[in-house]
Amino acid sequence: MDCCVIGTGYVGLVTGACLAELGNHVIAADMDEQKIQSLSAGHIPIYEAELEAIVERNLKNGNLTFTTEVHEAVSESEFVFITVGTPSDAEGRADLTNVDNVARDIARALDGYTVIINKSTVPVGSTKRVQRIIEESMPQYHEFDVVSNPEFLREGTAVFDFMNPSRIVIGSDSQKAAMRMTELYHGLNAPLLVTDPVSAEMIKYASNVFLATKVSYTNAVANLCEAVGADIREVTLGMGYDERIGFEFLKAGPGFGGSCFPKDCRALLAIARENGYDFELLEGVLKVNLEQHEKMVEKVARAAEGLEGRRICALGVAFKANTDDIRESPAVYVIKRLVERGASVMVYDPQAIQNARVELPGATFASDPYEAAEGAVVLALLTEWDEFKWLDYERILGLMETPYVVDTRNCLDPAMLRKLGFTYEGVGR
Ligand code: UDX
């Protein structure tokens, strides 16, 4: 089938590449000329498992092309995916400027029945809004439907998640559009839920915010564990065996970050406010999260016995492992605060250094973890990269000024480190 995605950010790129991999003809459009040029040459601007190989393969076999010509892309497609960014505005609401502009571009390019799919995370009611904008901006009438089809991709496993979705949600008032979407996703084996657009939009927020709530709840319990002398890892293990709770998203740590959870929490809070509902629970989720970032700063400050002039080694700056994304990363928050309080922080991350240089002008960067550890009084592990588990800690012990590890991700082995001579501190244990 002929598809296009408008916006080649995370969601657009993964969606476009995977639809091409499933055998569709996909045009991926973006107004950023430089980006399109580099994508056409097979250069992927993000670090995402499998994505580069899929893009390369589908560029070669002609299933995937990149363009800056939105008009052409839309007029040649039966399915048009809107995958542009919706950043938070000052009040926490999703800013729809990009979506609105794209809707107008689509309206001008329509040429026969088209299904327009909202994949960007947009406030409840946006499917209708896009529909209205298109109706108002169409120079000449063409039949079209707008569908909400939220994505649930996790960074780092986005390709796998696209190909193996937990569910496919289609929010549409039009049976014709819903049927066409069902055909498009025919190759994927997943429960398919067809619902009204507003409910589909709500499913996306409610899911992400629920997961964020799980993380904040776990972190709150972790803090209590520290106070009473329990171990959060044992506690969550014991909880997880209850199928109603499950093991996922019960990892205590520095709080959640990334491009979705914080933004979606704020957006749902704004939606609640606009609709006269006092969503106190969600305010608590965000409050616990920020406090958790700050608690990590305090842990390091205590371990270093003050921060002014102290050398800190920060391992990890990405918001989680297996990504180079540092958007709203707890690690960035912690490093910024340490620098503000006078520490000299040397950062290492396997993938995210490039992005971090811009965001953290006050820090210095190491090319490997051992260089980062040299002369440090505290090693703060901030992102749970696998490779940090397998470092030569004996060597690190020799390099540090004082052997203190603050493991904000609970991913190292305390017994091993203590045996080597480190003081070890985790979260909630
Ligand atoms: C998330 C959703 O999982 C995905 O469905 C949605 O489409 C986009 O948002 P992502 O932002 O890639 O995906 O990250 P995710 O793996 O969900 O983690 C989010 C944050 O929560 C990270 O900062 C992570 O470290 C943190 N987290 C997650 C915890 O602190 N503890 C956990 O147990 C799980």
Side-chain angles (χ1 to χ4, degrees):
M1 295 192 210
D2 294 313
C3 312
C4 75
V5 297
I6 306 181
T8 56
Y10 226 104
V11 176
L13 203 49
V14 173
T15 304
C18 290
L19 284 171
E21 181 77 358
L22 288 172
N24 301 289
H25 286 116
V26 181
I27 308 174
D30 201 297
M31 57 185 185
D32 184 338
E33 239 166 81
Q34 226 178 341
K35 195 169 182 188
I36 289 300
Q37 255 177 27
S38 117
L39 283 168
S40 303
H43 302 307
I44 307 297
I46 48 176
Y47 171 74
E48 184 63 51
E50 295 178 62
L51 189 58
E52 200 161 63
I54 292 187
V55 169
E56 202 181 282
R57 189 158 53 240
N58 288 279
L59 272 173
K60 267 205 194 110
N61 68 20
N63 273 354
L64 181 64
T65 48
F66 290 100
T67 182
T68 50
E69 303 297 325
V70 173
H71 192 98
E72 216 177 288
V74 172
S75 55
E76 285 175 21
S77 301
E78 316 159 63
F79 298 92
V80 176
F81 286 82
I82 303 179
T83 52
V84 290
T86 52
S88 288
D89 71 9
E91 271 91 58
R93 291 176 306 210
D95 178 348
L96 291 180
T97 314
N98 295 333
V99 174
D100 292 355
N101 288 339
V102 167
R104 280 187 278 271
D105 289 343
I106 294 173
R108 286 190 283 269
L110 283 182
D111 181 15
Y113 180 69
T114 309
V115 183
I116 295 137
I117 303 116
N118 228 338
K119 242 196 189 319
S120 302
T121 305
V122 287
V124 176
S126 297
T127 306
K128 289 250 152 59
R129 176 184 171 121
V130 169
Q131 179 139 12
R132 205 195 56 238
I133 292 176
I134 295 178
E135 272 163 7
E136 288 169 2
S137 326
M138 255 191 309
Q140 174 190 355
Y141 180 79
H142 287 286
E143 194 190 357
F144 73 95
D145 282 304
V146 185
V147 167
S148 162
N149 171 219
E151 55 82 23
F152 302 101
L153 310 175
R154 290 164 302 175
E155 291 188 15
T157 52
V159 170
F160 177 88
D161 291 345
F162 188 96
M163 295 300 190
N164 305 276
S166 50
R167 74 287 208 195
I168 296 170
V169 175
I170 294 167
S172 173
D173 288 329
S174 147
Q175 206 168 4
K176 183 172 174 181
M179 289 303 293
R180 299 292 288 134
M181 289 299 292
T182 310
E183 287 163 27
L184 180 66
Y185 285 129
H186 173 73
L188 299 177
N189 179 22
L192 198 134
L193 173 70
V194 178
T195 178
D196 61 280
V198 176
S199 300
E201 289 161 349
M202 202 58 195
I203 287 170
K204 168 72 189 193
Y205 281 113
S207 302
N208 271 0
V209 169
F210 182 73
L211 293 172
T213 304
K214 260 184 126 176
V215 174
S216 272
Y217 178 77
T218 305
N219 283 330
V221 174
N223 293 330
L224 201 50
C225 283
E226 282 184 13
V228 300
D231 183 336
I232 188 69
R233 304 221 325 171
E234 302 293 321
V235 173
T236 49
L237 186 65
M239 287 164 66
Y241 280 111
D242 185 329
E243 280 177 10
R244 294 169 302 175
I245 298 174
F247 293 104
E248 299 286 328
F249 283 78
L250 291 187
K251 273 196 213 87
F256 57 78
S259 66
C260 291
F261 282 8
K263 182 170 76 108
D264 291 353
C265 287
R266 290 193 296 265
L268 191 59
L269 207 51
I271 292 168
R273 225 177 282 128
E274 278 158 22
N275 287 278
Y277 178 65
D278 184 12
F279 206 154
E280 250 183 278
L281 176 64
L282 181 46
E283 273 167 27
V285 169
L286 282 167
K287 181 165 173 272
V288 167
N289 198 48
L290 187 60
E291 282 169 4
Q292 198 66 11
H293 297 350
E294 199 53 46
K295 277 212 164 72
M296 301 304 118
V297 178
E298 285 312 319
K299 269 183 194 285
V300 175
R302 256 196 326 271
E305 295 172 356
L307 288 169
E308 189 59 50
R310 306 291 272 163
R311 271 271 298 114
I312 308 294
C313 160
L315 294 189
V317 66
F319 83 96
K320 64 173 188 180
N322 306 318
T323 176
D324 63 351
D325 198 339
I326 59 163
R327 284 176 288 178
E328 304 215 28
S329 169
V332 169
Y333 179 96
V334 171
I335 295 166
K336 267 191 186 158
R337 293 281 293 133
L338 295 175
V339 170
E340 262 168 38
R341 288 174 59 178
S344 126
V345 186
M346 177 84 104
V347 184
Y348 170 76
D349 188 287
Q351 292 293 339
I353 291 289
Q354 210 58 357
N355 293 336
R357 278 185 205 280
V358 185
E359 192 63 29
L360 295 169
T364 49
F365 297 91
S367 49
D368 66 61
Y370 303 101
E371 187 190 343
E374 233 173 286
V377 291
V378 176
L379 181 156
L381 191 148
L382 300 173
T383 310
E384 73 286 19
W385 286 98
D386 244 354
E387 69 170 69
F388 296 156
K389 293 178 200 158
W390 317 117
L391 296 176
D392 180 349
Y393 280 98
E394 207 168 341
R395 184 172 161 204
I396 288 181
L397 186 91
L399 290 168
M400 289 180 71
E401 193 182 306
T402 44
Y404 204 122
V405 170
V406 174
D407 177 9
T408 72
R409 297 284 184 165
N410 286 344
C411 65
L412 303 178
D413 177 359
M416 178 271 286
L417 289 173
R418 286 187 182 126
K419 206 164 141 207
L420 284 176
F422 283 96
T423 307
Y424 173 91
E425 192 179 335
V427 176
R429 54 205 300 216

